[in-house]
Amino acid sequence: MKKKLVMVSLVLFSLLLTACGGTPPEEEGAAPKAKTEYQNKIKGAIDNSNKLLAVYNKSVDQLYTEDLSNEEFGNMMRTNIEKSNEMVRSIDEMTPDPAFFEIHQAVISLMNNQHQMFLDAVEMANEDKIEKDNLRKEYLSIKTEQQKIIN
């Protein structure tokens, strides 16, 4: 009986020590701060991405309604490409905490896929072979990928 009581006491004591131990306060602040900084940078990138996507989406709508010519569409996408190129570069240059590796890879993939969508759109406009249905599908694919990252 005494043996069981000693064993239970030891287990409880070790659980108590484990529960009372923890990360020193200066280390506790480091991870949340890094997370907040990273989230703010990614939020800015997503906001910029949405601005470019809004231009793209409106331009595709205007192709359908014939309010925009293929040439005008190509010019709008060239402007998007310049801005997108800068955004991709800034994301590529980020060196986030290793804890954010997977999410960062997803953001890099998203931004590069979006950039490729703009490049493909310009190529279609240059060849005067715009496939509006494909443009719309690519947009929806990018938005779906974006929502997976956000959520």
Side-chain angles (χ1 to χ4, degrees):
M1 181 73 170
K2 257 187 173 181
K3 218 177 191 182
K4 286 184 182 180
L5 185 58
V6 170
M7 285 296 275
V8 169
S9 296
L10 284 174
V11 168
L12 289 174
F13 182 70
S14 64
L15 286 173
L16 180 63
L17 285 177
T18 304
C20 291
T23 310
E26 63 274 2
E27 288 181 20
E28 286 177 356
K33 182 180 177 187
K35 182 178 181 182
T36 300
E37 287 176 5
Y38 183 72
Q39 285 175 330
N40 288 338
K41 288 179 182 178
I42 295 304
K43 184 185 180 313
I46 296 294
D47 289 347
N48 288 335
S49 169
N50 282 331
K51 290 175 186 172
L52 296 177
L53 288 170
V55 169
Y56 177 89
N57 191 40
K58 183 177 180 181
S59 298
V60 172
D61 287 349
Q62 289 176 321
L63 283 174
Y64 274 101
T65 60
E66 298 181 355
D67 291 335
L68 199 63
S69 70
N70 288 358
E71 183 180 342
E72 291 168 324
F73 176 76
N75 290 335
M76 299 207 52
M77 291 307 101
R78 282 181 192 83
T79 302
N80 263 12
I81 287 171
E82 291 172 17
K83 293 174 183 176
S84 176
N85 193 350
E86 178 62 31
M87 193 170 53
V88 167
R89 187 189 56 73
S90 70
I91 293 291
D92 283 344
E93 290 176 354
M94 287 175 64
T95 52
D97 186 285
F100 307 122
F101 177 77
E102 287 183 32
I103 188 77
H104 192 65
Q105 290 297 341
V107 170
I108 288 172
S109 177
L110 170 68
M111 296 303 167
N112 278 289
N113 289 341
Q114 177 177 304
H115 188 72
Q116 186 61 51
M117 179 180 71
F118 298 146
L119 292 171
D120 291 344
V122 165
E123 184 176 48
M124 286 181 199
N126 288 342
E127 295 174 356
D128 209 24
K129 296 180 181 176
I130 293 181
E131 300 171 20
K132 295 177 277 212
D133 189 47
N134 284 346
L135 295 175
R136 178 67 60 209
K137 287 177 184 175
E138 284 298 314
Y139 171 80
L140 292 173
S141 175
I142 295 295
K143 289 301 285 184
T144 300
E145 189 177 349
Q146 187 186 74
Q147 287 304 308
K148 287 178 184 176
I149 292 171
I150 292 171
N151 295 324

